[in-house]
């Protein structure tokens, strides 16, 4: 059995909404509402879902960029939520994050060299006299040159900036990197380069990735296992192959079928969902997907489906009452 | 208009269009001699990465280029007449009436201080001179047409009260209000989630048939192109590098850039072992473009010949490619690894 | 919206209390003994003590404040030391003079500022834009008492009305002092309004420039809207949102400016009243005027906030 590096248990992130005459908290945005999963050392786990599903919020809650409302986040055997500020800051050395917009996360007044040096100094990972050498090494690792060390972020293209972001994350020799839509803003040809880089680094440094993305093509290429989220809850977890070839939850099925394909004739039949994602302020009772699900029954409006094993032996889990019935064709879409 | 009843094979013909941006001392040729036709009733896609000039091409058609940009040459023939010869006032009457446009960001493309109804109704007031009540009635019909539930209620809401998908539907309602002949959709679904994207693309397709429109679709997403377009122009650094029907583009791409682009796209439908095939390097700085083929510095097949700019070459099946490989002068390698070959 | 207005009105209560505390404390921070001043410098000690007792100056501070507050809430601002009359009566019609002056000035500022700002923004970097912004810079840098004096020099004293213009039998265009007639109003309003006009012009310009680049402006153009409609209907309404806030803040400066302007033009408004009261150490009168001015400021900002909320639909009313 592989080593568990990250274990998230019943994580909740409810953001208060203020209102009324006295500005009291009148409700909560239930952005993440009871999410549990495990990430093993050296693997890439992706969280996919559409906007508002809580995938980014989950990442931020794990890093404690926003304090989660409740739940447990165990990293390398330590409960992150029990750490005080100082301890957490130290722990961040092992947990790094790469954001979608590298430009916004790089200080425009620092050169690339300074950015990397600062990262190292904060965590004290490299002795001062070795820092320069290490910076050069890092830049070369991510496909930039030592001569670019004295340049400012605005002098780089989007793809290069993302490489700087990656170099900064690597500077502290982390164990886990959370990639929050890290390649989403990049053009296809550049995106491929960065994905290859991430895969190469994973091998070289034995990194674990928690890869948050809405792009299922990228996710299929990079992940070992995939978590599908909808409206703050996990609807399906499976290894890559099982998820893409044999999706079980009706939401995952429609999500996969909705992706435009460059071979439309080969694509499975499209299931177009009606309506929008409901508001996470008052999410639907029972199964959260029931308002859009083509198979929903009265039971779905009452009972919250638990995440359970649906395909034997390989850990494929889905949260739907009717997985088997739908699979067997007993249940037909009603809309 | 004299030509109103005339029938055209091509609703739009763009010839040698050139649009440049003038900064302090350099001219940036954002669109550099773009030529293509849009057959009536069809959907033509322009696909390319950022900086390819695809959006500038679309804005040029409506002459919505702001300073420091300027259309410096070429012709835009719409229903037999050159739009570049029109006066500003004539052009204004075409916008939103005969040619409409929808944009990438439904979040920011609607005016936050006016209701949905006011914004759709404005199109009717401008082009059909309708009064408030008539415009409102027609706006409600339009909202119904684009599939917005309870339009009588929605019409008095403000944009921020609607979801992204709903806002894009409103944008479509505004664009189609006056029943245009041509719809230009600039990355209409890029900002939307994939299940919503599927809804919107389906809607555009459906309305195109219903209203007998031609569509020019600007996108960076090859999947969207494959699913919605009849013909495709691939742009790179201000020039069209390949133009063909959509089937041929994906079954037999010719230009090394197109091939590279298709190959480097991670697929959700199949596993790719090992590294993704990449296009090396990056898009050149627009102020300092290569003098020959714009793609030469990144092209795996480039030779001496590529230091001269190739022309668009048309083969027997009207497949146009701007690459020396498809000319008689070519003497280098002819092995362009296509997508099909990769999979065989 | 209704909930917002109620909430916003409730929020003014602590502000009001804060203002009264500060105004009340003013009396005790300013050097000099009010009782002594009232009694006259050579008055015997027991007479001063008498007055002190009568005014409640011997009570502990909180008690004094409480008495003060309950009086204020009943509309009793005390009596002027100098004249012995009610402070409310003293302020009386002078309050309206100042409000009038401030109102006309704000109207002038907004009118000139908006026009200059829009015209500049529409043709950014043009000759017009540069000229207007240069003028705005002048307006901003000029102290208004100086501008007032210059205006008096030119238009009330220096420049005579040419004799061939009928119906005006005065020797000068405008009058250098007083309040009431058109000829008296013009110069002080210009004096007081110029600075605000300059600030609003600059704010409108930058706000318009930002808005003009927005996607929805492109949408409006793509719809075929006339350029005039694009600017005045689509751009201006959005550009006004930050300008409204500036107008509100402007009002505070305006009240300060009114003190100077009223002094320069010898207008019998609240500004002049407060100056006179300070010179005479007439504490209850100073307190009263400052309190009224502060409340006016709070009220104007309440209106501004509600307008802002009305313009800015994006803020959720809940």
């Amino acid at each position: 059995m592989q080593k568990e590096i990250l274990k998230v248990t019943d994580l909740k992130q409810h953001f208060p909404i203020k209102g009324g005459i006295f500005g009291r908290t009148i409700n909560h945005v239930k952005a993440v509402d009871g999410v549990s999963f495990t990430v093993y050392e050296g693997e890439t786990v992706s969280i996919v879902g559409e906007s508002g599903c809580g995938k980014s919020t989950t990442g931020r809650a794990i890093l404690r960029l926003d304090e989660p409302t409740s739940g447990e986040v165990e990293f390398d055997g330590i409960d992150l939520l029990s750490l005080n500020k100082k301890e957490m800051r130290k722990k961040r050395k092992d947990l790094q994050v790469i954001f979608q917009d590298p430009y916004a996360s790089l200080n425009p007044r620092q050169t690339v060299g300074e950015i990397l040096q600062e990262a190292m100094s904060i965590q004290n990972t490299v002795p001062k006299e070795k820092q320069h050498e290490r910076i050069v090494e890092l830049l070369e690792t991510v496909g930039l040159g030592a001569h670019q060390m004295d340049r400012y972020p605005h002098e780089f293209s989007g793809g290069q900036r993302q490489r700087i972001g990656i170099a900064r994350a690597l500077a502290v020799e982390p164990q886990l990197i959370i990639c929050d839509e890290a390649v989403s803003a990049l053009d296809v040809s550049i995106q491929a380069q960065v994905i290859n880089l991430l895969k190469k680094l994973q091998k070289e440094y034995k990194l674990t990735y928690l890869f948050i993305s809405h792009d299922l093509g990228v996710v299929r290429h990079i992940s070992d296992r995939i978590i599908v989220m909808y409206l703050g809850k996990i609807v399906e977890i499976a290894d890559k192959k099982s998820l893409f070839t044999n999706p079980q939850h009706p939401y995952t099925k429609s999500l996969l079928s909705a992706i435009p394909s460059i071979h439309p004739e080969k694509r499975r039949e499209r299931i177009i969902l009606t309506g929008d994602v409901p508001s996470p302020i008052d999410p639907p009772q029972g199964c959260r997907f029931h308002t859009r699900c083509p198979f929903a029954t009265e039971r779905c409006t009452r009972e919250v489906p638990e995440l359970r094993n649906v395909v034997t032996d390989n850990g494929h889990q889905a949260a739907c009452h009717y997985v088997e019935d739908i699979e067997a064709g007993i249940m037909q879409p009603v809309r | 208009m004299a030509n109103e009843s005339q029938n055209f094979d091509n609703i739009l013909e763009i010839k040698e269009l050139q649009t440049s941006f003038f900064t302090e001392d350099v001219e940036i040729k954002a669109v550099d001699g773009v030529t293509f036709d849009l057959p009536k009733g069809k959907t033509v896609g322009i696909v390319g990465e950022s900086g390819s000039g695809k959006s500038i091409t679309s804005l040029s058609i409506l002459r919505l280029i702001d300073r420091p940009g300027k259309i410096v040459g070429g012709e835009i023939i719409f229903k037999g007449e050159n739009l570049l010869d029109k006066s500003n006032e004539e052009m204004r009457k075409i916008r939103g009436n005969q040619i409409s446009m929808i944009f990438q960001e439904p979040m920011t493309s609607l005016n936050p201080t006016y209701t949905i109804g006011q914004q759709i109704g404005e199109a009717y007031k401008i082009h059909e001179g309708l009064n408030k009540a008539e415009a409102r009635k027609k706006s409600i019909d339009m909202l119904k047409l684009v599939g917005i539930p309870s339009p009588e209620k929605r019409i008095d809401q403000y944009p921020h009260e609607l979801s992204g998908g709903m806002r894009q539907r409103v944008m479509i309602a505004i664009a189609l209000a006056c029943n245009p002949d041509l719809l230009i959709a600039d990355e209409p679904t890029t900002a939307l989630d994939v299940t919503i994207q599927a809804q919107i693309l389906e809607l555009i397709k459906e309305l195109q048939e219903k209203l007998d429109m031609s569509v020019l679709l600007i996108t960076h997403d090859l999947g969207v192109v494959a699913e919605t377009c009849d013909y495709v122009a691939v742009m790179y650094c201000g020039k069209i590098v390949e133009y063909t029907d959509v089937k041929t583009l994906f079954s037999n791409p010719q230009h090394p850039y197109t091939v590279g682009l298709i190959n480097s796209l991670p697929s959700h439908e199949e596993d790719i072992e090992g590294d993704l095939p990449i296009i090396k390097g990056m898009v050149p700085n627009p102020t300092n473009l290569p003098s020959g083929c714009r793609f030469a510095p990144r092209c795996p097949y480039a030779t001496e010949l590529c230091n001269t700019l190739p022309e668009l070459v048309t083969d027997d099946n009207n497949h146009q490619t701007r690459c020396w490989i498809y000319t008689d002068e070519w003497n280098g390698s002819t092995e362009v690894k296509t997508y099909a070959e990769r999979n065989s | 919206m209704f909930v917002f207005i109620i909430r916003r009105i409730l929020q003014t209560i602590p502000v009001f209390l804060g203002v009264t505390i500060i105004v009340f404390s003013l009396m005790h921070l300013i050097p000099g003994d009010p009782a002594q001043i009232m009694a006259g410098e050579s008055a015997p000690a027991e007479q001063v003590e008498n007055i002190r007792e009568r005014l409640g100056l011997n009570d502990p501070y909180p008690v004094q404040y409480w008495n003060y507050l309950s009086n204020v809430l009943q509309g009793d601002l005390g009596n002027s030391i100098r004249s012995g009359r009610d402070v409310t009566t003293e302020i009386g019609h002078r309050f309206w003079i100042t409000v009038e002056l401030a109102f006309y000035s704000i109207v002038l500022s907004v009118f000139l500022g908006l026009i200059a700002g829009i015209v500049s923004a529409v043709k950014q970097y043009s000759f017009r834009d540069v000229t207007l912004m240069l003028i705005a810079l002048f307006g901003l840098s000029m102290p208004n008492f100086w501008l007032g004096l210059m205006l008096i020099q030119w238009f009330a004293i220096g420049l005579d009305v040419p004799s061939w213009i009928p119906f005006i039998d005065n020797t000068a265009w405008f009058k250098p002092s007083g309040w009431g007639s058109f000829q008296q109003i013009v110069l002080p309003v210009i004096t007081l309004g110029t600075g605000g006009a300059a600030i609003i012009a600059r704010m409108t310009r930058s706000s318009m420039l930002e808005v003009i680049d927005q996607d929805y402006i492109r949408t409006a153009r793509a719809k075929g809207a006339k350029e005039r409609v694009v600017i005045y209907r689509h751009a201006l309404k959005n550009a006004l949102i930050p300008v409204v806030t500036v107008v509100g803040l402007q009002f505070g400066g305006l009240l300060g400016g009114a003190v100077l302007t009223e002094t320069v033009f010898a207008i019998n408004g609240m500004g002049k009243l407060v100056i006179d009261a300070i010179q005479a150490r007439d504490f209850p009168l100073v307190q009263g005027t400052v309190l009224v001015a502060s409340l006016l400021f709070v009220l104007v900002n309440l209106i501004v906030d509600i307008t802002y909320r009305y313009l800015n639909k994006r803020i959720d009313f809940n």
Side-chain angles (χ1 to χ4, degrees), chain B residues 164-299:
Chain B
M166 284 295 160
R167 286 186 222 186
Q168 198 57 300
R169 283 173 194 266
V170 171
M171 277 301 290
I172 294 173
I174 294 173
L176 303 190
C178 298
N179 205 352
D181 300 303
L182 171 62
L183 174 71
I184 302 174
D186 186 357
E187 304 267 11
T189 57
T190 304
L192 303 175
D193 281 320
V194 16
T195 60
I196 307 299
Q197 165 170 285
Q199 294 175 356
I200 297 291
L201 291 178
E202 197 69 19
L203 176 71
I204 293 177
K205 238 186 209 172
E206 187 192 305
L207 294 176
Q208 176 176 19
E209 267 167 46
K210 211 181 226 169
L211 307 173
D212 190 26
M213 279 189 308
S214 314
V215 176
L216 181 65
L217 182 81
I218 317 294
T219 183
H220 71 283
D221 188 327
L222 290 167
V224 170
V225 166
E227 302 238 355
T228 48
C229 297
D230 300 301
Y231 300 92
V232 191
V234 181
M235 280 187 78
Y236 185 78
C237 290
K239 288 193 177 292
I240 290 182
V241 294
E242 188 159 358
Y243 181 90
T244 181
D245 66 278
V246 72
K247 263 209 154 113
T248 313
L249 187 85
F250 291 104
S251 61
N252 183 27
Q254 293 195 332
H255 197 283
Y257 174 65
T258 315
V259 174
L261 207 56
I262 295 174
N263 281 341
S264 60
L265 189 68
S267 166
H268 68 280
E269 289 162 314
E270 57 186 358
D271 293 317
I272 299 161
E273 289 309 315
D275 278 351
L276 283 171
I278 60 159
I279 301 174
K280 66 180 181 187
M282 52 187 179
V283 179
N285 188 327
T287 57
N288 189 18
L289 291 176
S291 58
C293 171
R294 308 291 191 244
F295 188 58
R298 304 177 75 187
C299 181

Side-chain angles (χ1 to χ4, degrees), chain A residues 50-51 187 193 267 273 276, chain B residues 50 163 193 195 199 227 279:
Chain A
E50 301 178 284
S51 39
D187 275 323
Q193 296 173 358
R267 175 168 54 72
L273 292 177
D276 282 320
Chain B
S50 31
S163 69
D193 281 320
T195 60
Q199 294 175 356
E227 302 238 355
I279 301 174

